């Protein structure tokens, strides 16, 4: 079967077995992002074409271009988001083709905008991506082949950009991957040579402390997080710690102790360069539960996670009457109720329309006669069924109900009628998206179910914390299970996580205000079927500004 026919089958809703696994995963991501497979306008995003990365990489790319004259190929360099910052084309006809495809400086080829393509997919997966002709998700790119790989800074380990070679699909050969790998190696070597004094100071400070054998050690700075293996699972968020340390109001000095997650503390030694603070060396230690923390308390002890609090509240309320647990899909509503109810029968309101209300109510009566009942998805009842259910449940206990609703949204008129009629006590579960500080704790709890001695590396914890979690706890549980299957440990890196989650490691954590804005944009885009022009008009911003926010918030 040709790749073209495989592409057509996938677009018709099938998942052909002939499709290799990494390509199928990328196509799924592209579909989930709402990319139009028939045609897409590549977004233009303002980007820095004279960045430190570009100044190092462009001369190397130009040198390689001299060897490819007449080879019917294109070299391109992108920033860490997939926006093209430099391009060279070997011959005019190919240049015209690539101009039509927007392979031009300033246009962004992030996978969430353009679907499966060399630059976007390499940055999304963190590995070399080879996309031949019809393997592109969007039909518009089926006449070209792209080979790309990300470039990671040798000191900070952050992805700073990507190298790409493009040619017509019929001109592709195995040497393209060789060229890309060679360019990445040369750029990384040049970046190491050009590493700033600040970065070298931070690395030297880390290595010096590491040689002392003083246990868990971490270095944080602007764009820098370096840890040894012993500090791998402390839940350190570089952005949070560094923002706190460099705050104008910070009173942290050499020798100050700050609190970290998991009842840990770290003694701080500031690393200075030219009179300014370049970063901080953190020497991590445990803390007795009642021990005083020397120096200022930088981080209040985290409150109990809301899922444990919800379970406690549900258990307390269930003895007084019916209890409803509200929350988004996958937040663990049924799990919370199951613990509170004990042995019980589960009945799903989603089937009442199929079974017929009379037959379904009969099943509800029979379940109530046997003992405790968990009634799921009451938001799917119609008003007539809700009135009958209210009459049947009157005075009955123990009864638990779940209502799937978005954060802050009401459960709908029929469900509200039912819940008011039976006087149900209410427990609300937040989405993971609204509780990023709880994600590391929950992930560790889930990880312990797969064996003792397992832990997450800092890059994995950063990815888990910054992922958007549309599937909430259910998605987190799958991600942990898949990570254990991918890498049995004992320390699981970000590379073990599913692709879409792993890519979140490079993102910064959003502020509460940014999370609120991202949710508004997500809602408006959903209301308009993903049409960005219409959404931009409703939001009162330009289409370019909307693209920038979508990229920033990774919507």
């Amino acid at each position: 079967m040709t790749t073209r026919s495989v592409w057509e089958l996938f677009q018709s809703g099938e998942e052909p077995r002939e499709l290799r696994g990494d390509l199928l995963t990328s196509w799924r991501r592209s579909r989930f992002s709402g990319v139009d497979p028939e045609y897409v306008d590549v977004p233009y995003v303002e980007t820095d074409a004279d960045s430190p990365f570009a100044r190092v990489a462009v001369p190397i790319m130009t040198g390689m271009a001299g060897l490819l004259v007449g080879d019917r190929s294109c070299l391109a360099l992108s920033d860490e988001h997939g926006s093209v910052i430099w391009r060279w084309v070997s011959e005019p006809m190919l240049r015209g083709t690539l101009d039509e495809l927007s392979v031009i400086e300033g246009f962004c080829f992030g996978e969430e905008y353009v679907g499966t393509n060399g630059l976007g997919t390499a940055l999304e997966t963190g590995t070399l991506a080879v996309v031949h002709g019809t393997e592109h998700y969007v039909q518009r790119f089926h006449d070209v082949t792209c080979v790309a790989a990300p470039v990671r800074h040798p000191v900070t380990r952050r992805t700073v950009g990507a190298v790409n070679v493009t040619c017509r699909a019929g001109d592709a050969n195995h040497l393209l991957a060789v060229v890309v790998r060679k360019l990445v190696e040369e750029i990384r070597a040049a970046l190491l040579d050009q590493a700033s004094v600040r970065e070298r100071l931070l690395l030297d400070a880390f290595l010096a402390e590491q040689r002392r054998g003083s246990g868990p050690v971490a270095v944080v700075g602007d764009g820098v997080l370096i840890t040894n293996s012993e500090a791998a699972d402390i839940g350190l968020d570089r952005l949070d710690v560094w923002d706190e340390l460099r705050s104008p109001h910070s009173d942290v000095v050499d020798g100050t102790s700050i609190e970290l997650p998991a009842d840990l503390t770290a003694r701080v030694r500031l690393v200075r360069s030219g009179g300014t603070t370049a970063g901080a060396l953190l020497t991590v230690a445990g803390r007795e539960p009642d021990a005083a923390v020397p120096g200022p308390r930088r981080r209040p002890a985290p409150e109990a996670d809301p899922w444990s609090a919800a379970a406690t509240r549900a258990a307390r309320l269930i003895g007084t009457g019916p209890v409803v647990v509200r929350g988004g899909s996958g937040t663990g509503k049924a799990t919370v109720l199951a613990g509170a109810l004990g042995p019980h029968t589960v009945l799903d309101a989603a089937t009442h329309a199929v079974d017929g209300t009379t037959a379904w109510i009969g099943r509800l009566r029979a379940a109530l006669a046997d003992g405790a009942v968990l009634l799921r998805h009451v938001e799917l009842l119609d008003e007539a069924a809700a009135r009958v259910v209210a009459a049947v449940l009157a005075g009955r206990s123990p009864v638990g109900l779940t209502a799937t609703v978005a954060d802050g949204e009401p459960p709908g008129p029929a469900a509200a009628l039912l819940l008011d009629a039976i006087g149900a006590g209410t427990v609300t579960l937040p989405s993971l998206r609204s509780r990023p500080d709880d994600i590391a704790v929950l992930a560790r709890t889930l990880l312990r179910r797969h064996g003792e001695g397992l832990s997450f590396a800092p890059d994995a914890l950063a990815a888990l914390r910054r992922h958007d979690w549309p599937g909430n706890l259910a998605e987190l549980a799958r991600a942990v299970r898949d990570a254990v299957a991918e890498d049995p440990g004992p320390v699981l890196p970000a590379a073990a996580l599913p692709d879409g989650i792993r890519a979140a490691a490079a993102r910064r954590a959003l502020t509460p205000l940014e999370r609120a804005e991202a949710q508004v944009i997500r809602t408006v885009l959903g209301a308009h079927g993903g049409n960005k022009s219409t959404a931009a008009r409703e939001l009162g911003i330009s289409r370019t500004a909307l693209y920038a926010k979508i990229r920033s918030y990774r919507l």
Side-chain angles (χ1 to χ4, degrees):
M1 184 179 293
T2 66
T3 307
R4 170 67 185 179
S5 58
V6 168
W7 181 86
E8 290 169 342
L9 282 173
F10 183 85
Q11 302 306 341
S12 69
E14 299 184 35
E15 292 195 350
R17 295 181 180 178
E18 297 83 358
L19 200 58
R20 69 175 194 265
D22 62 325
L23 187 59
L24 175 59
T25 300
S26 178
W27 281 5
R28 286 172 176 164
R29 287 194 303 264
S30 303
R31 175 182 285 169
F32 181 78
S33 298
V35 177
D36 185 347
E38 298 295 335
Y39 186 87
V40 68
D41 284 323
V42 182
Y44 180 84
V45 179
E46 292 292 340
T47 189
D48 184 6
D50 190 34
S51 64
F53 168 62
R55 288 196 293 271
V56 170
V58 168
I60 295 171
M61 300 285 284
T62 303
M64 179 62 74
L67 302 176
L68 296 177
V69 172
D71 201 38
R72 294 178 295 185
S73 59
C74 163
L75 295 179
L77 192 70
S78 84
D79 65 12
E80 71 272 26
H81 303 296
S83 292
V84 177
I85 57 177
W86 178 87
R87 184 194 78 164
W88 172 88
V89 187
S90 63
E91 47 116 343
M93 289 186 65
L94 180 59
R95 181 181 297 110
T97 298
L98 297 180
D99 286 349
E100 291 178 1
L101 295 177
S102 300
V103 185
I104 308 171
E105 289 86 346
F107 284 86
C108 182
F109 284 81
E111 195 183 69
E112 65 269 37
Y113 308 130
V114 186
T116 304
N117 74 92
L119 280 173
T121 302
L123 289 168
E124 187 71 27
T125 62
T127 59
L128 180 82
V130 180
V131 184
H132 293 293
T134 53
E135 292 179 346
H136 286 85
Y137 185 77
V138 177
Q139 188 176 25
R140 181 183 177 191
F141 299 97
H142 283 184
D143 292 333
V144 298
T145 286
C146 301
V147 180
V151 179
R152 292 186 180 85
H153 196 285
V155 175
T156 67
R157 309 301 183 192
R158 295 176 61 203
T159 297
V160 290
V163 169
N164 179 82
V165 177
T166 300
C167 66
R168 294 185 181 86
D171 295 332
N173 61 74
H174 70 282
L175 293 178
L176 297 180
V178 176
V179 170
V180 169
R181 288 194 176 97
K182 177 65 174 175
L183 286 168
V184 169
E185 290 173 3
E186 291 187 6
I187 292 171
R188 280 176 53 83
L191 287 170
L192 183 60
D193 289 340
Q194 295 294 322
S196 67
V197 172
R198 179 186 68 90
E199 291 163 341
R200 289 182 178 275
L201 278 173
L202 294 176
L203 181 60
D204 289 344
F206 170 79
L207 293 174
E209 190 69 26
Q210 176 80 342
R211 283 193 291 269
R212 295 189 183 100
S214 55
V217 177
V219 167
V220 297
D222 190 9
V224 177
L225 172 60
I226 309 172
T227 69
N228 62 2
S229 59
E230 294 173 276
D233 196 26
I234 61 177
L236 186 67
D237 189 299
R238 176 193 61 81
L239 291 171
D240 286 351
V241 174
W242 180 234
D243 285 347
E244 183 177 355
L245 293 177
R246 69 177 178 178
S247 166
H249 307 293
S250 174
D251 50 3
V252 173
V253 295
D254 282 340
T256 296
S257 288
I258 63 172
E259 288 191 355
L260 300 175
D263 288 329
L264 298 173
T265 62
R267 190 168 295 278
V268 177
R269 180 167 70 82
L270 300 177
V271 180
R272 294 183 173 85
S273 173
T276 62
T277 301
L281 176 74
L282 308 180
T283 306
V284 184
R287 174 167 63 89
E288 295 297 325
D290 298 324
V293 179
R297 281 180 73 92
R298 303 307 306 167
R299 294 174 182 274
E303 58 182 298
D305 76 82
W307 288 268
S308 298
T312 300
R313 176 175 170 80
R316 186 174 67 250
L317 290 176
I318 203 71
T320 65
V323 176
V324 61
V325 179
R326 298 170 41 169
S329 177
T331 49
K333 301 181 293 297
T335 301
V336 165
L337 279 174
L341 287 168
H344 62 278
T345 302
V346 178
L347 195 61
D348 199 324
T351 66
H352 89 280
V354 177
D355 297 342
T357 300
T358 301
W360 187 84
I361 292 295
R363 291 171 56 199
L364 175 60
R365 291 183 188 276
L368 289 167
D370 288 339
V373 172
L374 196 167
L375 181 55
R376 303 185 65 188
H377 299 125
V378 296
E379 77 281 357
L380 299 178
L381 293 170
D382 56 41
E383 188 168 328
R387 292 184 185 279
V388 177
V389 172
V392 172
L393 295 182
R396 305 298 293 266
S397 185
V399 174
L401 310 94
T402 71
T404 301
V405 294
D407 288 349
E409 294 293 324
L417 182 154
L418 166 61
L419 301 175
D420 289 344
I422 63 176
T426 301
V427 176
T428 301
L429 285 176
S431 63
L432 277 185
R433 181 187 305 123
S434 66
R435 303 285 303 195
D437 292 335
D438 294 315
I439 291 171
V441 175
L442 291 166
R444 291 192 188 98
T445 300
L446 291 167
L447 187 59
R448 283 195 291 271
R449 298 178 184 177
H450 297 276
E452 293 298 325
L454 297 177
S455 62
F456 286 109
D459 60 349
L461 288 171
L464 291 169
R465 188 174 186 273
R466 292 168 190 166
H467 182 57
D468 205 34
W469 299 111
N472 289 299
L473 275 178
E475 184 184 3
L476 178 59
R478 289 195 302 272
V480 172
R481 180 198 64 207
D482 292 350
V484 173
E486 178 71 22
D487 187 331
V491 179
L492 278 63
L497 296 169
D499 291 345
I501 298 172
R502 181 170 68 234
R507 306 171 195 165
R508 64 182 179 84
L510 300 183
T511 66
L513 185 60
E514 288 173 327
R515 287 200 298 270
E517 183 178 47
Q519 182 57 47
V520 170
I521 293 172
R522 187 182 291 108
T523 300
V524 173
L525 283 169
H528 293 289
N531 187 308
K532 297 178 180 62
S533 297
T534 307
R537 284 196 295 272
E538 180 167 331
L539 291 165
I541 59 178
S542 69
R543 189 179 176 203
T544 300
L546 177 59
Y547 271 122
K549 290 182 181 295
I550 289 173
R551 188 182 83 171
S552 176
Y553 298 153
R554 304 289 290 188
L555 299 179

